[in-house]
């Protein structure tokens, strides 16, 4: 299981390779929310999302001859760049309905892209088969200790930056698909900033983690596609991530596509950053939450097509 020592070791491996992304704020955004809002801009991370952290840490720790991964795009790009920098081959299994920018960027980073139908094909089965056939090491998108540890370095930075801003208590909203970022950040904050509590954020119709927290046991999504928040559409939380989420996280937050688009536009207008819909759900939840005190939202990724940005700005 991932622990603080693994997260701190990951921070050492990532030093000089990953960016220490800023914790941003804006008086105008605070006015919209009616409270202090801080945004951890992981959309400014290498490859445009936090996923580079976990990919680099896993590949650096395991030192494989070649890697394979399955992803809707952000994990794909993190693994592809990490593999290229390490000088090893990468095969990425991506859903055929992933945004074109993510498919194209993954290919441009030197990876071989294998497309699949997420409604009728099992990506886990495809990944397991190809990893055996080609002798590749599978780098899972979230249910892998080294990946969770890498994502947890985002939490270490949040703890440091929040303390610098004078924030020692409050809610931290995190976009949640399989739970790698959510569990990693929660583990880091448990040790370094126990007054900050993580709340997973998901799109409507794909709120398995929110339902799991409410029920006290793991729930599964009925559908596997149908949201503009493609980056965080997964069947369910992982076997490794769910126990951490259950132990450490507060109630899950469910966000509509419309709210995600509004948050995307507000981030563009007031913070001058680009967030994809799946990466904007945490900011949407932070803007709509009740109660007092400052909140922190992780903007987990910024890889979106131009048409989606236009749609958000015109909404």
């Amino acid at each position: 299981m991932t622990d603080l020592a693994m997260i701190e070791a990951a921070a050492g491996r990532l030093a000089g390779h990953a960016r220490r992304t800023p914790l941003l704020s804006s008086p105008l955004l605070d006015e919209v929310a009616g409270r202090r809002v801080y945004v951890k801009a992981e959309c400014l991370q290498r490859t445009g999302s936090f996923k580079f952290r976990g990919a680099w840490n896993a590949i650096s720790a395991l030192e494989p001859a070649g890697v394979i991964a399955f992803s809707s795009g952000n994990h794909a790009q993190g693994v592809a760049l990490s593999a290229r920098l390490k000088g090893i081959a990468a095969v990425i299994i991506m859903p055929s309905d992933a945004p074109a920018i993510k498919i194209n960027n993954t290919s441009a980073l030197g990876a071989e892209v294998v497309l699949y139908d997420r409604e009728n094909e099992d990506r886990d089965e495809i990944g397991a088969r190809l990893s055996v056939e080609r002798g590749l090491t599978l780098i899972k998108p979230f249910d892998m200790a080294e990946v969770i540890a890498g994502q947890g370095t985002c939490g270490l930075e949040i703890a440091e930056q929040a303390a610098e801003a004078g924030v020692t208590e409050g809610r931290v909203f995190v976009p949640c698909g399989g739970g790698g970022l959510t569990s990693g950040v929660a583990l880091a904050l448990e040790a370094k900033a126990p007054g900050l509590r993580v709340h997973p954020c998901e799109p409507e119709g794909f709120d398995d983690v929110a339902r799991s927290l409410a029920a006290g046991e793991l729930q599964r999504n009925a559908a596997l596609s149908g949201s503009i928040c493609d980056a965080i559409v997964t069947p369910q939380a992982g076997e490794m991530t769910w126990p951490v989420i259950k132990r450490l996280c507060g109630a899950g937050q469910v966000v509509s596509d419309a709210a995600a688009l509004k948050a995307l536009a507000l981030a563009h207008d007031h913070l001058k950053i680009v967030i994809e819909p799946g990466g904007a759900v945490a900011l949407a939840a932070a803007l709509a939450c009740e109660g007092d005190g400052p909140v922190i939202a992780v903007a987990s990724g910024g890889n979106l097509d131009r048409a989606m940005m236009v749609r958000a700005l015109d909404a």
Side-chain angles (χ1 to χ4, degrees):
M1 295 296 292
T2 307
D3 57 18
L4 179 62
M6 290 184 66
I7 296 173
E8 291 179 330
R13 295 188 188 99
L14 284 158
H17 300 285
R19 295 172 183 148
R20 187 179 191 267
T21 56
L23 190 68
L24 303 175
S25 63
S26 163
L28 294 175
L29 198 60
D30 293 346
E31 186 174 337
V32 171
R35 61 175 54 80
R36 293 299 302 276
V37 176
Y38 297 90
V39 177
K40 178 63 169 168
E42 282 295 290
C43 52
L44 301 178
Q45 187 55 261
R46 297 186 75 171
T47 71
S49 89
F50 73 96
K51 290 288 191 176
F52 178 77
R53 296 176 183 268
W56 178 268
N57 184 57
I59 292 173
S60 298
L62 299 174
E63 299 184 345
V67 295
I68 188 169
F70 36 84
S71 166
S72 65
N74 287 336
H75 180 60
Q77 293 173 78
V79 170
L81 177 58
S82 298
R84 188 177 78 173
L85 294 173
K86 291 288 186 180
I88 62 175
V91 176
I92 311 295
I93 304 161
M94 302 183 70
S96 57
D97 62 348
I101 188 173
K102 296 183 179 181
I103 296 173
N104 295 337
N105 285 352
T106 302
S107 180
L109 288 169
E112 176 188 345
V113 175
V114 176
L115 300 178
Y116 78 100
D117 180 351
R118 73 165 97 207
E119 290 287 352
N120 299 303
E121 295 181 284
D122 184 345
R123 70 179 187 178
D124 293 337
E125 185 279 326
I126 295 171
R129 173 171 50 81
L130 288 178
S131 64
V132 171
E133 291 176 357
R134 304 194 188 186
L136 303 172
T137 297
L138 179 62
I139 306 297
K140 296 183 179 180
F142 52 84
D143 218 22
M144 187 174 187
E146 295 82 3
V147 169
I148 296 170
Q151 320 306 24
T153 62
C154 178
L156 294 181
E157 293 177 13
I158 289 173
E160 294 171 356
Q161 292 165 323
E164 291 168 1
V167 178
T168 58
E169 295 185 357
R171 290 166 287 179
V172 179
F173 295 97
V174 180
C176 186
L181 179 63
T182 304
S183 59
V185 169
L187 286 167
L189 294 181
E190 177 190 31
K192 296 297 185 178
L196 300 177
R197 194 175 194 195
V198 169
H199 291 262
C201 303
E202 301 167 289
E204 285 183 345
F206 303 91
D207 58 343
D208 57 291
V209 172
R211 289 185 285 108
S212 297
L213 286 168
E217 59 184 15
L218 197 60
Q219 304 290 305
R220 186 179 179 87
N221 288 321
L224 298 178
S225 64
S227 171
I228 62 172
C229 302
D230 62 281
I232 53 174
V233 171
T234 54
Q236 63 184 42
E239 293 181 4
M240 297 182 69
T241 61
W242 164 239
V244 177
I245 292 170
K246 182 180 180 181
R247 181 172 69 86
L248 295 179
C249 291
Q253 309 296 303
V254 183
V255 174
S256 68
D257 282 358
L261 288 175
K262 180 179 179 181
L264 192 164
L266 288 170
H268 172 273
D269 292 345
H270 300 310
L271 299 174
K272 309 309 177 186
I273 58 174
V274 174
I275 316 177
E276 63 191 275
V281 295
L283 178 55
L287 294 173
C289 70
E290 298 179 352
D292 300 320
V295 293
I296 298 171
V298 178
S300 56
N303 294 308
L304 77 167
D305 291 328
R306 182 177 299 180
M308 186 63 72
M309 173 59 83
V310 172
R311 178 179 170 184
L313 296 180
D314 287 346

